[in-house]
Every structure is written in C-alpha cells, then in structure tokens.
C-alpha cells in the first residue's frame, strides 16, 4: 500500500551493468539530481523525480511494497520474482511498462560441450540436476516441457556447478557466450529474451505521481524512438 506522495521515486541499480545506461536514459529524459553524501539517494532538481540506488534484485520488491514508484531492472529479475510471488499466492504487484533497449541477454539452458543436443525431451526421465539463479522461470519451463529435473538454486557462479559436480547442466544469463565456453558449456535452449525494462506498479497511481509518470513515459518514448 503506497502512501500519497507528490514526488516520484525511481529505483535503479547502484552499480553493475544497468547502472550507467539507466542514469543516462533518465538524464536524456531531462532529469537531473543532487546526490546525497552516501550516494544512495539522488534528489531530483529539474523535476520532482528522485532516484534510489539499490541492488537490482531489490527493485521488484521495492515497487511491490510501494517504497519506489518505478524501477529500471532486467526482465529476467522482474519475471523471476513475479513467478516466485505467484507461487506463494501473492497478487501481481508490478508490470513491465517499457522495454528500454539495453542490458540485452538471454536466459539459456547450457549443457557440457560434449553432449549431443537433440532437444529438451532428451532430459526427460534422467533425474538430472540443473543449477540456476532463476528457479521460478526454470521450473515453469520444465513443467511446460514435461521434464522432471531437479532444480539446484545458486545465487552466483552458476557456470562452475557442472565442474563442481553440483549439477549436470545450468540455466543462466548469456550475452556473448564467452563465460559458458570458458567453462566447457554450450547454450542449447532459450527460456527468456531479456533486456532492461521500466517497471511500475500493477495498479498505477492515484495522486500527483500519475501526471509525473505520464510525462516521464512520454519523454522516454521520445528518447527511445530516436535511439532506434
Ligand atoms: P547487483 O549488485 O545489483 O545485485 P548483479 O551482479 O546482480 O548486481 P549485473 O551483473 O550488473 O547484476 O546484471 C544486471 C542485469 O544485467 C541482469 O539482471 C541482466 O538483466 C543484465 N545482463 C545483461 N547481460 C548479462 C550477462 N551477460 N550476465 C548477467 N546479466 C546480464
Ligand atoms: Zn543482483
């Protein structure tokens, strides 16, 4: 439940792949800020639009809790957390408002290089273990494909799981494929085409933030169109 506010608060990644492109995009929309000492909060100067600098994983939850109004986050993270919420019976609290054209990557299934890949059905009935940081997206895909594999949830370094013997295959984000190759793995199936997105609450706003969000989206559409 979000309180009534007359300033808009946008969560972006503090550091990492999406941090700089997110700030550049918002700056191109005419926003400027005064940074706080700890650099976690940036006070909007040109418009009443503030930034909160956080870990990308926290962004969907911050929107769901009404702490932030909008967020720039990978579709992979947004979909994963939406799936996890659905699994425990929580309502959908946020939605994707715009695709932003940066941070492109794929969530892919990868297998040892020496496997001959004929398709997902070859995984059925083998009692295989798949390591991933995206368990809810993976479980959904496995159900669709009617594959009875075990999902091993890891928060990082998923690509070394097969070498460590924690899992036979992995499901991870891939952009160039170099990390997979360095670990003698090859991508075989795409579960999700991802990029950075602007996320907002499922319900929208019913105060001054509505007009602010509308203006920001209009400006963003202009910027994204020119970039195409
Ligand atoms: P944080 O400290 O904010 O938790 P992180 O390590 O989880 O950082 P990054 O590695 O910066 O996050 O990735 C942020 C997002 O960038 C990913 O969620 C994804 O949407 C996107 N991305 C694009 N290419 C890749 C890639 N090759 N590997 C991982 N993420 C990628
Ligand atoms: Zn993260």
């Amino acid at each position: 439940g979000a309180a009534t506010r007359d300033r808009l608060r946008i969560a972006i990644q503090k550091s990492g792949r999406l941090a700089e492109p997110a700030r550049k995009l918002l700056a191109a929309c005419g926003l400027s800020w005064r940074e706080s000492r700890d650099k976690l909060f940036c006070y909007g100067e040109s418009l009443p639009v503030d930034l909160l600098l956080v870990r990308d994983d926290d962004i969907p939850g911050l929107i769901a809790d009404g702490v932030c109004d909008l967020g720039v986050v990978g579709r992979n993270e947004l979909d994963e957390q939406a799936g996890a919420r659905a699994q425990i019976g929580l309502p959908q609290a946020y939605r994707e408002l715009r695709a932003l054209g940066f941070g492109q990557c794929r969530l892919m299934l990868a297998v040892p290089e020496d496997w001959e890949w004929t398709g997902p059905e070859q995984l059925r009935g083998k009692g295989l273990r798949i390591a991933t940081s995206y368990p809810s997206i993976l479980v959904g895909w496995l159900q669709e494909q009617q594959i009875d594999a075990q999902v091993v949830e890891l928060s990082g370094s998923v690509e070394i799981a097969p070498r460590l013997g924690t899992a036979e295959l992995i499901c991870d984000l891939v952009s160039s494929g170099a990390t997979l190759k360095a670990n003698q793995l090859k991508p075989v199936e795409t579960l999700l085409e991802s990029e950075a997105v602007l996320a907002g609450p499922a319900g929208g706003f019913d105060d001054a933030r509505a007009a602010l969000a509308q203006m920001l989206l209009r400006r963003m559409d202009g910027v994204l169109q020119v970039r195409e």
Side-chain angles (χ1 to χ4, degrees):
T4 297
R5 274 202 299 265
D6 54 7
R7 299 184 68 84
L8 203 63
R9 195 181 288 164
I10 308 178
I12 66 170
Q13 197 185 20
K14 183 176 192 300
S15 59
R17 290 183 157 93
L18 307 182
E20 202 179 275
R23 277 180 92 120
K24 283 204 170 133
L25 172 63
L26 294 170
C29 294
L31 304 184
S32 64
W33 309 273
R34 199 167 61 217
E35 274 179 28
S36 71
R37 261 271 220 30
D38 58 11
K39 301 216 166 117
L40 296 178
F41 185 83
C42 303
Y43 185 84
E45 287 194 312
S46 53
L47 281 171
V49 180
D50 307 321
L51 298 185
L52 203 62
L53 309 187
V54 298
R55 289 200 56 190
D56 64 345
D57 319 54
D58 291 335
I59 294 176
L62 288 168
I63 299 171
D65 296 341
V67 174
C68 288
D69 303 309
L70 300 171
V72 175
V73 62
R75 180 180 294 135
N76 49 292
E77 203 57 62
L78 201 66
D79 285 10
E80 173 62 25
Q81 295 196 30
R85 287 177 66 88
Q87 274 166 20
I88 56 170
L90 288 172
Q92 281 321 315
Y94 40 76
R95 66 198 169 97
E96 185 177 318
L97 300 176
R98 294 292 187 276
L100 301 180
F102 58 86
Q104 284 95 343
C105 57
R106 292 187 165 124
L107 184 65
M108 298 193 75
L109 193 73
V111 303
E113 259 167 4
D114 55 5
W115 282 26
E116 197 184 315
W117 186 252
T118 55
E121 55 287 341
Q122 86 186 71
L123 302 178
R124 288 182 195 147
K126 297 225 172 71
L128 293 167
R129 294 165 303 167
I130 312 178
T132 191
S133 304
Y134 298 89
S136 110
I137 297 176
L138 176 57
V139 164
W141 184 82
L142 290 171
Q143 278 168 358
E144 256 170 47
Q145 303 289 333
Q146 298 171 303
I147 297 165
D148 50 342
Q150 188 189 325
V151 175
V152 178
E153 186 176 352
L154 297 177
S155 57
S157 305
V158 167
E159 66 283 352
I160 64 168
R163 266 195 293 150
L164 294 179
T166 352
E168 285 74 35
L169 50 161
I170 71 166
C171 165
D172 202 6
L173 295 177
V174 180
S175 41
S176 72
T179 308
L180 291 182
K181 204 160 171 43
N183 289 280
Q184 291 95 52
L185 297 168
K186 64 177 178 188
V188 290
E189 297 285 329
T190 300
L191 280 67
L192 178 73
E193 300 271 0
S194 186
E195 66 186 285
V197 302
L198 182 73
F205 309 106
D206 53 8
D207 52 27
R209 290 173 294 174
L212 277 173
Q214 204 175 32
M215 177 172 63
L216 181 67
L217 280 171
R218 210 167 43 230
R219 290 186 182 190
M220 200 172 276
D221 288 339
V223 172
L224 294 172
Q225 203 175 355
V226 171
R227 284 183 179 182
E228 258 173 21

